[in-house]
Amino acid sequence: MPAEQTMTLEIFRYHPETDSEPRFQAYEVPYDEDWVVLDAINWIKDHVDGTLTHRWSCRMGVCGSCGMMVNGDPKLTCAAFLKDYYPRPVKVEPLVNFPVERDLVVSLDGFMEKLEAVKPYIIRDDVNDTSGGEYLQSPAELARYKQYSMCINCMLCYAACPVAGHEDEFLGPAALALGHRYNRDSRDRGRAERLDVMLAGEAIWGCTFVGECTAVCPKHVDPAGAIQQAKAVAAQEYFRRFAMPRGAKDAGA
Amino acid sequence: MSGRLHRPQRWAWFLERPGYLLFMARELTGFFVAGYLVVLLVTLGRLGGGETAFAEWLQTLSTPGWTVAHAVALAASVWHSVTWFAAVPQAMPIQLGEKRLPAPLAAVVMGYGPWLTVTTIIVWGVLR
Ligand code: SF4
Ligand code: FES
């Protein structure tokens, strides 16, 4: 019987209560063609080192919680196959551009604030009034925003965005794409409210269209495209408000 | 927040992904487009300065140094334009009912098409 094949995972470790600096720890894991990086991390946690901390849930690219840097690339570790790296070692780090809580787990606080800021839900006054039946939408109206609604909040796009890495005011790819998604929804009336947020400071203008957010997005959301389109809408709104300062907001929806 | 580890971005962040380098190349080639504009403005200024001033300026522009500079600037400007035309379908998608105009076609309709048309008109106007 052939000896079991193995491969090396170099994993970023940081425990705030004991470590002043992060370090990398190497683990030998069994190599299995069908394994993804997440399987190998789970194997380490189950068999070698229970103190290793990471996030995951669905193991099928839906929950968006297993994002990490794999050899420097932001990846869903449940979709990154070991066979694409074997036999070279794989380096696993927490997503960059986020503070690290512990080992491979990053803090989501900043992202959640930005996501909330764009009001990613349908806004309209008559939302409880169902007497007129459903709010119908044609397939063409759905097509206007569907792509931007596929986001799973995995935050790979933030890790790929150099602006998100140094500009706190910038709302970032996923939040802006979701804001744009609702602005394009025929049932929504909240565009003016969202534009208030998007027009402020560097919120949207921080984007320089590097485009790597779109390159790494596992759901083909194309946040870079959404942001450029949202910029065009925001620019029109900016000039409209400049030309008609009074009552401009009311007309926005 | 205490305990959380902040890892600041490296100043040389643009070396970290090939996509960042391409972005920097796209941005820096913009300077050559601006350079063209400066040359055009100076040319117009000389034209206003009389026949001799204009002839002298044309003389200067035909020296080898300027020819090389123009070749480099042309290459950079073409690259700059191509990258922007590639981005047009993303930034200004054309939706036809439930479908989107495919990206290569959108780049032609919104980018290369108008560019070639305008260029042809100008070239025709100059060579006529
Ligand atoms: S836009 Fe794409 S990369 Fe960004 S959070 Fe959503 S699914 Fe993830
Ligand atoms: S574990 Fe849910 S997306 Fe990877």
Side-chain angles (χ1 to χ4, degrees):
Chain A
M1 204 172 124
E4 189 183 45
Q5 286 173 314
T6 62
M7 82 189 272
T8 307
L9 252 65
E10 290 166 19
I11 298 191
F12 181 102
R13 303 298 311 268
Y14 173 72
H15 282 195
E17 62 283 2
T18 49
D19 302 337
S20 57
E21 289 288 322
R23 65 201 155 85
F24 278 90
Q25 194 167 344
Y27 298 95
E28 279 303 293
V29 299
Y31 170 69
D32 186 323
E33 262 205 348
D34 298 332
W35 271 18
V36 289
V37 172
L38 179 62
D39 291 321
I41 298 172
N42 281 336
W43 184 87
I44 296 168
K45 178 142 178 117
D46 290 346
H47 296 94
V48 185
D49 186 348
T51 68
L52 179 62
T53 307
H54 65 299
R55 275 199 190 108
W56 68 288
S57 179
C58 70
R59 207 191 161 278
M60 52 194 276
V62 172
C63 73
S65 57
C66 68
M68 297 168 207
M69 306 301 287
V70 179
N71 283 355
D73 276 331
K75 292 265 185 204
L76 292 181
T77 48
C78 70
F81 279 87
L82 290 185
K83 64 170 182 253
D84 293 332
Y85 303 93
Y86 184 80
R88 284 159 291 127
V90 173
K91 202 168 188 170
V92 187
E93 290 174 71
L95 288 179
V96 295
N97 299 339
F98 292 94
V100 180
E101 296 272 16
R102 188 182 188 81
D103 293 340
L104 299 166
V105 172
V106 294
S107 162
L108 308 179
D109 297 357
F111 170 69
M112 293 312 276
E113 275 168 30
K114 290 174 178 182
L115 190 59
E116 261 185 83
V118 299
K119 305 177 197 253
Y121 38 81
I122 287 179
I123 299 175
R124 55 188 294 155
D125 295 336
D126 55 349
V127 75
N128 292 324
D129 177 9
T130 50
S131 55
E134 306 91 334
Y135 299 109
L136 295 179
Q137 200 162 47
S138 71
E141 284 168 333
L142 173 67
R144 279 172 56 79
Y145 68 82
K146 184 155 187 242
Q147 179 180 19
Y148 310 125
S149 71
M150 305 307 279
C151 175
I152 56 171
N153 294 351
C154 67
M155 292 169 295
L156 301 193
C157 50
Y158 285 73
C161 173
V163 181
H166 65 253
E167 177 53 70
D168 273 349
E169 274 187 14
F170 178 48
L171 290 174
L176 286 169
L178 274 171
H180 186 60
R181 171 249 176 276
Y182 284 96
N183 282 347
R184 286 177 73 83
D185 192 316
S186 58
R187 299 163 297 179
D188 182 77
R189 302 284 177 271
R191 199 178 73 154
E193 277 179 52
R194 280 186 211 98
L195 287 176
D196 280 345
V197 180
M198 289 176 169
L199 281 169
E202 294 296 313
I204 190 166
W205 306 116
C207 172
T208 53
F209 203 177
V210 178
E212 287 295 281
C213 53
T214 290
V216 302
C217 175
K219 293 288 158 187
H220 310 292
V221 170
D222 188 13
I227 296 173
Q228 307 326 305
Q229 295 161 35
K231 274 184 193 168
V233 176
Q236 284 168 23
E237 182 69 10
Y238 178 84
F239 287 114
R240 210 177 56 77
R241 288 183 188 183
F242 185 74
M244 297 184 290
R246 265 185 297 144
K249 277 185 198 171
D250 310 328
Chain B
M1 195 72 82
S2 72
R4 281 185 187 159
L5 177 73
H6 291 264
R7 294 181 293 165
Q9 189 172 51
R10 277 175 47 197
W11 71 267
W13 58 265
F14 46 86
L15 298 177
E16 275 166 21
R17 295 177 65 81
Y20 294 167
L21 277 174
L22 281 176
F23 161 75
M24 289 304 253
R26 185 189 81 201
E27 298 297 291
L28 292 175
T29 48
F31 282 109
F32 291 94
V33 179
Y36 260 135
L37 192 67
V38 172
V39 172
L40 181 69
L41 288 175
V42 172
T43 308
L44 287 176
R46 294 295 167 97
L47 191 59
E51 211 171 308
T52 339
F54 188 58
E56 271 171 20
W57 176 237
L58 287 187
Q59 196 74 46
T60 314
L61 283 183
S62 53
T63 53
W66 271 105
T67 310
V68 171
H70 270 101
V72 173
L74 179 65
S77 303
V78 168
W79 171 252
H80 192 81
S81 308
V82 167
T83 55
W84 278 111
F85 290 154
V88 163
Q90 251 180 307
M92 293 188 282
I94 302 176
Q95 205 188 329
L96 307 163
E98 290 170 57
K99 297 257 179 308
R100 251 191 204 187
L101 198 65
L105 207 57
V108 169
V109 173
M110 315 265 285
Y112 290 103
W115 182 37
L116 275 177
T117 311
V118 172
T119 307
T120 311
I121 293 171
I122 293 174
V123 169
W124 181 74
V126 170
L127 295 185
R128 191 160 56 111

